[in-house]
Amino acid sequence: MTDRLNQKAKCAGSPLFEGVKASQLAWLLNVGQNVQLKQREYLFRRGQACDQIFILLSGHIKLSIPVECGQDKVIEFLSPGEAFGESALLPGHLLLADAQALEPCELLAFKSEDVRLAIERVPPFAQQLITNLSLRFESLLRDLESVSLLTAVQRVAAYLLRQPRVGNQAKLPFYKRTIASKLGLQPETFSRSLQQLAADGLISVRGARVVFHDVARLQALLA
Amino acid sequence: MTDRLNQKAKCAGSPLFEGVKASQLAWLLNVGQNVQLKQREYLFRRGQACDQIFILLSGHIKLSIPVECGQDKVIEFLSPGEAFGESALLPGHLLLADAQALEPCELLAFKSEDVRLAIERVPPFAQQLITNLSLRFESLLRDLESVSLLTAVQRVAAYLLRQPRVGNQAKLPFYKRTIASKLGLQPETFSRSLQQLAADGLISVRGARVVFHDVARLQALLA
DNA sequence: CGAAGGCTTGAGACCGCTCAAGACCCGTGG
DNA sequence: CCACGGGTCTTGAGCGGTCTCAAGCCTTCG
């Protein structure tokens, strides 16, 4: 019971449910199924059929493309409040990526038929689904842009600047090799790029902690 | 008047209007504004604000990211029946890419407020918008995959295999430099890759015409 | 015929990758 | 407290694929 209330609170905070009336929210929550993932557990794998979409309530999930002989190519990090697996709405479609929990995660799962219903009955939800997809589309577009147009050091700089800072410090949220893959780099190249930024006096690195010494020059690298 | 009918026929054929009732289709067409583009004309540019989304009725459009000193990076080729510019639904958002007509084009433009209305009133349209976005998302994901994981020759082979063939021939639909950019390659590298495939006896190339000699081995390159 | 634009070809440089080894970090257990 | 072990991260050396730059070619069109 408190779980139910707890969940409701989490959803109300999610932008995906913004503008949804209480009664409809209740309906959505009733239809959606709770899913828990342990750290490193896979939600789905490339090639599987799937007729559900998912909304992430807590934790982070990694979408990646498996590669035989070599480590996977990370496509996207998903944060709480995001929806994914929309391809389930395309009949007969197979999933393109693996989804793995980077931490313990809570999710809500909706059967595709229920999503269709929800789109009909709850226009704000349809809105938000489209908004979320648009944002993810743009994010992918930026990734494509940076892979094609930026050098390794520039990609790393851009990534660092995107991280939330407290004071002039930031903490890398995942394994470095995982971040490297997201940036389209080998772990060695990521390491060397960090090191070069440090040698130039722009940052200093100790483990996952990054101290920013000159944000302006870091941004200037991208121009 | 015949224009109106003509347009209606085109839309009815578009998957975006599948499942939409005649009365609602009429309303949509009434609300949407016709846009014509000449070849090479720009529909919008990166950095502009925009409160419209577009549906392409005929012709092809190129989405690309402008690059000072060098040619633009092509992101996507849009074909008739596709919707784009969804980021207009995000308030205060700026466009990320240029949209340029590769041929004379006809489009339908919807103000974002009308799109919001349409999502409420015409659920099948909302469905199709989401479907279209999902498909484009996956397409971008595949591009990201191939840029990160495939060599130049493999990317070219994959692209060729995607082209519609009549008999064992295909025709490259755009300038080679444009296709090269879409694949994340320099024109020279694209040229050399085609040439290598030809040297291996898999294809032969004359101008924009490509003859396939061994489709199976071409596919085998991608494994 | 000449000009313009796209395409091809060649030579050389460079960035990022691969492979291999060593350093560091951290939890565990003696 | 220290030694150990597993995993990640770093460092080094060398290679290779793609890019860059610069001509020359080909087709198209006036």
Side-chain angles (χ1 to χ4, degrees):
Chain A
M1 210 44 171
T2 60
D3 260 21
R4 211 70 192 166
L5 287 177
N6 189 8
Q7 181 195 31
K8 199 159 175 177
K10 271 176 196 154
C11 294
S14 161
L16 263 176
F17 295 101
E18 212 176 286
V20 175
K21 288 180 194 147
S23 63
Q24 293 174 321
L25 184 57
W27 175 72
L28 279 170
L29 294 188
N30 191 34
V31 169
Q33 291 172 354
N34 267 80
V35 178
Q36 311 274 340
L37 292 178
K38 300 185 198 111
Q39 185 165 20
R40 293 176 186 237
E41 193 176 352
Y42 283 89
L43 178 60
F44 54 72
R45 299 273 198 163
R46 171 186 250 232
Q48 287 180 352
C50 178
D51 69 334
Q52 298 184 304
I53 75 169
F54 301 94
I55 296 179
L56 185 55
L57 298 180
S58 70
H60 284 269
I61 284 187
K62 175 186 88 175
L63 289 189
S64 63
I65 290 181
V67 176
E68 62 278 33
C69 63
Q71 51 230 353
D72 302 351
K73 159 67 185 156
V74 175
I75 297 296
E76 204 180 2
F77 297 127
L78 295 162
S79 301
E82 297 206 82
F84 60 105
E86 286 89 348
S87 62
L89 299 180
L90 315 173
H93 222 66
L94 299 183
L95 292 162
L96 275 179
D98 294 346
Q100 184 185 22
L102 292 172
E103 314 150 12
C105 290
E106 297 173 275
L107 304 98
L108 222 44
F110 293 90
K111 283 185 230 150
S112 55
E113 55 199 89
D114 289 331
V115 176
R116 269 183 270 275
L117 265 183
I119 291 172
E120 262 179 57
R121 293 198 202 165
V122 193
F125 183 66
Q127 290 272 2
Q128 296 300 334
L129 269 187
I130 293 177
T131 298
N132 176 60
L133 251 179
S134 288
L135 285 172
R136 289 175 61 211
F137 185 86
E138 294 217 330
S139 163
L140 221 51
L141 199 153
R142 280 178 210 276
D143 288 343
L144 202 51
E145 177 183 359
S146 70
V147 166
S148 326
L149 264 34
L150 302 182
T151 65
V153 172
Q154 287 177 313
R155 279 179 251 174
V156 171
Y159 180 81
L160 293 179
L161 287 169
R162 258 180 270 139
Q163 296 316 299
R165 297 200 281 279
V166 288
N168 62 347
Q169 287 210 7
K171 180 176 170 297
L172 302 178
F174 315 113
Y175 283 143
K176 287 181 181 174
R177 56 192 315 114
T178 308
I179 297 171
S181 172
K182 169 84 197 314
L183 300 179
L185 300 172
Q186 297 302 313
E188 296 94 330
T189 306
F190 183 68
S191 176
R192 282 187 249 264
S193 300
L194 280 176
Q195 173 188 329
Q196 178 171 338
L197 290 173
D200 293 351
L202 302 180
I203 60 172
S204 51
V205 185
R206 265 187 74 83
R209 290 223 143 48
V210 178
V211 182
F212 292 76
H213 294 140
D214 196 335
V215 172
R217 264 173 70 212
L218 215 49
Q219 288 168 332
L221 280 184
L222 305 179
Chain B
M1 208 45 170
T2 60
D3 261 21
R4 212 70 192 167
L5 286 177
N6 190 8
Q7 183 195 35
K8 198 161 175 177
K10 271 175 196 154
C11 296
S14 161
L16 265 176
F17 295 103
E18 211 176 286
V20 176
K21 287 181 195 148
S23 63
Q24 293 173 321
L25 183 57
W27 175 72
L28 279 170
L29 294 189
N30 191 34
V31 170
Q33 290 172 353
N34 266 82
V35 177
Q36 310 274 339
L37 291 178
K38 300 185 199 115
Q39 185 165 19
R40 292 177 187 236
E41 193 176 350
Y42 283 88
L43 178 60
F44 53 72
R45 301 272 198 164
R46 172 185 247 233
Q48 288 179 352
C50 178
D51 70 334
Q52 298 183 304
I53 75 166
F54 301 93
I55 296 180
L56 185 55
L57 297 180
S58 70
H60 285 269
I61 284 187
K62 175 185 88 177
L63 288 189
S64 62
I65 291 179
V67 176
E68 63 275 32
C69 67
Q71 52 228 352
D72 303 351
K73 161 66 186 157
V74 174
I75 297 295
E76 203 179 5
F77 297 128
L78 294 163
S79 302
E82 296 205 81
F84 60 104
E86 285 88 349
S87 60
L89 300 179
L90 317 173
H93 222 67
L94 299 182
L95 293 162
L96 276 180
D98 294 346
Q100 185 185 22
L102 292 172
E103 314 150 13
C105 288
E106 297 173 274
L107 303 99
L108 223 44
F110 293 90
K111 282 186 231 150
S112 57
E113 55 198 270
D114 289 332
V115 176
R116 269 184 270 276
L117 265 183
I119 291 172
E120 261 180 56
R121 293 197 202 166
V122 193
F125 183 67
Q127 289 273 1
Q128 296 300 334
L129 269 186
I130 293 177
T131 299
N132 176 60
L133 251 178
S134 289
L135 285 172
R136 288 174 63 211
F137 185 85
E138 295 218 329
S139 164
L140 222 51
L141 199 154
R142 281 178 209 274
D143 288 345
L144 201 52
E145 177 183 359
S146 69
V147 166
S148 325
L149 265 33
L150 302 183
T151 66
V153 171
Q154 288 178 312
R155 280 179 250 174
V156 171
Y159 180 81
L160 293 178
L161 287 169
R162 257 181 270 139
Q163 297 315 299
R165 296 201 282 280
V166 287
N168 62 346
Q169 287 209 7
K171 179 176 171 296
L172 301 179
F174 314 115
Y175 284 143
K176 288 182 182 175
R177 55 189 319 113
T178 308
I179 296 171
S181 172
K182 169 82 197 314
L183 299 179
L185 299 173
Q186 297 302 313
E188 295 94 330
T189 307
F190 183 68
S191 176
R192 283 188 249 264
S193 300
L194 280 176
Q195 174 190 329
Q196 178 170 341
L197 289 173
D200 292 352
L202 302 180
I203 60 172
S204 51
V205 185
R206 264 187 75 84
R209 290 222 142 46
V210 178
V211 182
F212 292 76
H213 294 140
D214 196 335
V215 172
R217 265 171 70 209
L218 215 48
Q219 287 168 333
L221 282 183
L222 306 179

